[in-house]
Amino acid sequence: MTTEFYKLPADLAQDIDTYGSEVGRFSSGEMPPGVFKAKRVPRGVYEQRQDGAYMVRVRVAGGTLTPEQGETLADIGSAFGSHQLHITTRQDVQIHDVKIEHTPEIMRRLLSVGLTSKGGGGNTVRNVAACPYAGICPAEEFDVTPFAHAVTEFLIPLVGSSNLPRKYKISFSGCGLDCALARVNDLGFIAKAKDGKPGFLVYAGGGLGAHSRPGDLIEEWVPATDVVRIAEAIRRLFDQLGDRKNRQRARLRFVFERMGMPAFRNALHGVIRELETEGIQDCAVSVPDIRSPAGASLIRRETDSASGVRFLEQRQAGHVALPLHLPLGFISAEDFRKISRISREFSQENGFRTTRSQNLIIRFVAKDDLAALASKLKGLKCDVVKPAALESFVACAGAATCRLGLCLARDAARACAEALDRSSITPAVLASLDVNISGCPNACGQHHVASIGLFGAAQRTAGRLVPSYRVLLGARCDTPTARLAELAGSVPARALPQLLLDLAQDFEKDRLAGEWFSSYFERCGMEHFKAIIERHATVPSYDERPAFYRDWGSDDDFSLAGRGGGECGAGVFEVIADDIAGAKRALHSAQSSSESADMFEALLPAARALLITRGVDSQNATDIIQAFEKHFIDTGLVPSEFRGLISRARGYLEGWREALEGQADDIGRLLAEVEALFGTLDANLNFHRAESAASNETSASAPVREKPAAVAELDLRGVTCPMNFVKVKLKLESMETDDLLAVVLDDGEPVQNVPASLRSEGQEVVDTVDLNNGHWRITVRKKK
Amino acid sequence: MQLTEEQIERYSRHILLPEVGGKGQEKLLAGRVLIVGAGGLGSPAGLYLAAAGVGKIGIVDSDVVDLTNLQRQIMHETADLGVPKVNSAMTRMRAINPDIEVRVYPKKLMADNAVDIISDYDFVIDGTDNFPAKFLVADACHFADKPYSHAGILRFTGQAITVIPRKTTCYRCIFNAPPPPGAVPSCSQAGVLGVLAGVMGCIQATEAAKYLLGIGELLTDRLLVYDALSMGFRTVNVARNRKCPLCGDSPTISRLQDEERPIACDPETCDCYQNEPGN
């Protein structure tokens, strides 16, 4: 029996053909990478950190998979991918290490079993999540799964769903305990029956990542028939009101913050009325089984069976569900195929589900079949039955494959889990705490919602970078007033296992029977834990413990070189601020001496501070000075009047001891320039110098000197001819004569045409630099 | 004014022109042009100016679309028969470019409303088809102090001139007054090559765009004469006339008046009787 949970768009096959021809044009070099990226990402195809390797993210609405779908995913993983599949915290299934030319065929195979990667990434309606215990949990009001399917079926075919200001995440929970995290999605529904009628509490504007916040309750109760209209109305409002210019402030939560709740609700009701007149039908999901779960407890506690497997008692008598524990969400294609077959044989709902904790669950198994099923599960390569400490961890891919990652989150999770496994901490204690780890401030590892949350960062100690993690505690998502975790401290990555061991032992020592770590946290208070974390915050010197300067899973010294932009900027920002503060301190203490050596101590961090944004991370002073000149003075970001100071610095390094004597004022001014430039840095690591230069002019304390040429920046990656030239022209029109504009262009036609066109219009092209990553940076001086 | 991403893309071919650029496009978007007559001349002018992003376009016509119009009046379609011309004109212009504002005046331009209507615009395109109307537009633009482009078409010949009132040679400097009844036949008697209207209307639109942009040399103090049969353009220099009744040393026209209707037209067949100024 094949169950069709939801219909995919009728034109999907055609869309895959279109995509196929785009892949061809990209491969032949006809389509620039930037343009192609805009085509593939909304279709769920991401480039991995390794060049030429791609990942396909398949949406699994509500986490439901049929055995056929599972087998097809396994086949695709074996035929085109790394023979491994990965379950994400949004219940998607990812196929890694695929070649770009295989992606259209992968999409066709997915389509043949009713699956798609469309909306797997980009500014789209992302996978609609649902509680994995929907339909079986004693605490639920009713089964929310069909609603996740209905919303998917309605939203995915809409053209506008693939071109939103930013991503749009929707989730359904069956009760207020909110296992599907409806309260931290852009739109979340929590089931609630009223007078025997099915309905939902509606939350909106929640989200993790930078600027995370829980959603607001925007509707106290709506009948279940309104669900699709509300999802569509929010989509339209987001489409109209979301900030398309500033990606960092694009999510729905910022629309909320700008408008305020009353105005947003008014607008929402207006759109819903529009939808009613447009004739968008009631959501036609029938809810046969409404329950009054008052007092019932959550399904989550696992029970041991005689046959060695652990199961969950379903609310349907005689039926059980089997959670399958995948280490950090990974499973071999072969095991995934076997699980699909097992589910066909044993699950009365004919299939299985993916879960937010990156695991799988086979449900509706007759209790009498447990022994037979257990013996089949023993045939898997991976032990999915017995939870190890690693089961308590969720970790994103981190810097291993993600282009945004700072730290190797999975390696950190493994190191911590090993330490916990070796310790005497009891399984009951381990099962009562969960640790979510993200490799950077983006919350793919959902670090805000676990009882212990960690995200990767970088800190500088004695001139070297140290991989470290921020520790967050105190999250509570199972209550109507959801609360995200708060920052409790920061530790070097190497100290993580010992920290977690300390936290677990502290918990074990005072734990009340059946207590979760989150309750324990509330009982003890933040200060108690801050003190524990503080004990692990120290970084020993490089000579003493070089391992502290290397991330888990890496033999090389930690570096941010080659890191892309993105919200990981947050980690980079702190390192820059650190350097600027260091330069100020050094300058302050050097003022009295004016010795060259002291001056250099101040100049070096000033020159180094911003180099991280240009992918340069060096310990070598000569390299730092040279790179600063190349990336900041040559490009006009820092006025060329500082060339003298820089050549003095070079002289100093070459042995001219007096080179920097009495240069404190110039160093101070350079530092002020660097700091001003830092103030214009956006999260994509671009500078916006033009605006800041204007504001500097009015500063009364600015030293009297020739006005530096302002520098504006324009990122035209992925913009084709002639639109790139149009944009450059428009930008130049807004600038003063002799001002400089730095422009990043794609390789090929753009860099061949744009500088030539600028020259023919009488502008001066000062500089053309190959960034060796498929892009060029040109600098233009406005002449007319 | 800040161009939106969509506008930058829509107008990119303008912005690329060194003489236009983003600032020029902003001038077009801030520009206001009145087209008198949604007929053979007004059709191409209206469509191109709408496409160019002229921010506000006014169109005056009291006529409804007639089957004989469709041979040259490309702003209207067969399905529009019987529909007021200003309506079909607005639909077509807005379809090309929803970015612009179109204001319609479903009425005749008359002595008592002309200055009022014209004063809301920066430039006027005379797309009328009869002498009284052309003189009225010329006079009204003089009193409203608005530049305008005149064009006339008959059979295979067209003429055009741009006038900056009080500064350059005006329509009355050259023609003084409407021709005596019967002296000149109208289109409905003599016929006109459809595309001739297109060529001349486009020249008028060009002048309007150049004026708004402030670039190039306008067609002032020169009468452009186009002969489609020999495919020749020539310009005849025309100086200001000190005896001009409108802008001469001692003008005799001091206020706007409706000119006599030309008796040249056969009241049975010529639509200028019922519908001027239009067509």
Side-chain angles (χ1 to χ4, degrees), chain A residues 206 248 435 443 696 715:
Chain A
Q248 268 61 51
V435 186
N696 279 351
D715 183 353

Side-chain angles (χ1 to χ4, degrees), chain A residues 604 617-625 653:
Chain A
L604 190 65
D617 180 26
S618 173
Q619 315 298 326
N620 180 303
T622 309
D623 292 347
I624 289 170
I625 295 298
L653 287 167

Side-chain angles (χ1 to χ4, degrees), chain B residues 14-196:
Chain B
H14 270 166
I15 298 168
L16 284 167
L17 293 167
E19 293 80 0
V20 181
K23 294 205 165 126
Q25 187 59 49
E26 286 168 17
K27 287 181 192 167
L28 290 176
L29 286 164
R32 303 166 302 169
V33 174
L34 180 72
I35 300 172
V36 186
L41 296 167
S43 284
L47 294 177
Y48 271 110
L49 292 178
V54 170
K56 178 177 174 182
I57 300 177
I59 186 135
V60 189
D61 205 315
S62 65
D63 206 353
V64 296
V65 179
D66 177 271
L67 195 54
T68 63
N69 301 151
L70 299 182
Q71 166 252 15
R72 65 198 174 284
Q73 301 182 10
I74 59 173
M75 238 176 345
H76 317 294
E77 296 178 358
T78 308
D80 297 325
L81 289 176
V83 170
K85 284 185 177 177
V86 289
N87 288 14
S88 41
M90 174 159 79
T91 306
R92 229 63 73 211
M93 288 193 279
R94 299 264 308 154
I96 286 188
N97 191 350
D99 218 15
I100 59 159
E101 179 191 347
V102 179
R103 172 107 194 256
V104 300
Y105 304 87
K107 54 177 97 164
K108 291 177 198 173
L109 195 75
M110 305 288 282
D112 59 4
N113 64 13
V115 172
D116 237 20
I117 295 176
I118 288 173
S119 58
D120 275 348
Y121 295 87
D122 305 316
F123 192 89
V124 177
I125 287 179
D126 173 11
T128 65
D129 76 330
N130 65 79
F131 288 107
K134 288 192 183 302
F135 279 93
L136 178 67
V137 171
D139 294 353
C141 286
H142 173 85
F143 289 114
D145 206 15
K146 298 288 181 181
Y148 65 97
S149 164
H150 153 86
I153 50 171
L154 196 71
R155 297 194 176 114
F156 295 95
T157 309
Q159 65 178 35
I161 187 168
T162 300
V163 177
I164 313 284
R166 297 180 179 85
K167 293 204 176 71
T168 71
T169 309
C170 85
Y171 191 52
R172 285 215 190 243
C173 287
I174 310 169
F175 299 112
N176 194 280
V184 180
S186 75
C187 289
S188 56
Q189 295 163 316
V192 62
L193 183 71
V195 67
L196 175 67

Side-chain angles (χ1 to χ4, degrees), chain A residues 245 721-723 725-727 729-730 733-735 761 782, chain B residues 3 5 8-9 12-13 15-18 20-23:
Chain A
K245 284 213 176 113
C721 298
M723 283 310 292
F725 178 57
V726 169
K727 301 255 168 135
K729 251 191 92 154
L730 287 172
E733 279 182 12
S734 70
M735 295 166 45
E761 285 217 345
K782 175 169 168 158
Chain B
L3 295 175
E5 283 300 302
I8 292 172
E9 203 166 330
S12 57
R13 282 2 179 225
I15 298 168
L16 284 167
L17 293 167
V20 181
K23 294 205 165 126

Side-chain angles (χ1 to χ4, degrees), chain B residues 174-243:
Chain B
I174 310 169
F175 299 112
N176 194 280
V184 180
S186 75
C187 289
S188 56
Q189 295 163 316
V192 62
L193 183 71
V195 67
L196 175 67
V199 172
M200 300 312 292
C202 286
I203 285 173
Q204 292 186 285
T206 310
E207 290 290 286
K210 277 160 60 189
Y211 177 80
L212 294 176
L213 289 166
I215 59 171
E217 288 166 42
L218 292 171
L219 183 61
T220 48
D221 300 320
R222 301 174 287 158
L223 186 71
L224 177 76
V225 181
Y226 167 54
D227 179 23
L229 284 180
S230 65
M231 191 46 79
F233 284 90
R234 63 197 171 96
T235 51
V236 182
N237 289 335
V238 284
R240 282 187 72 178
N241 181 355
R242 298 183 65 173
K243 290 182 189 157

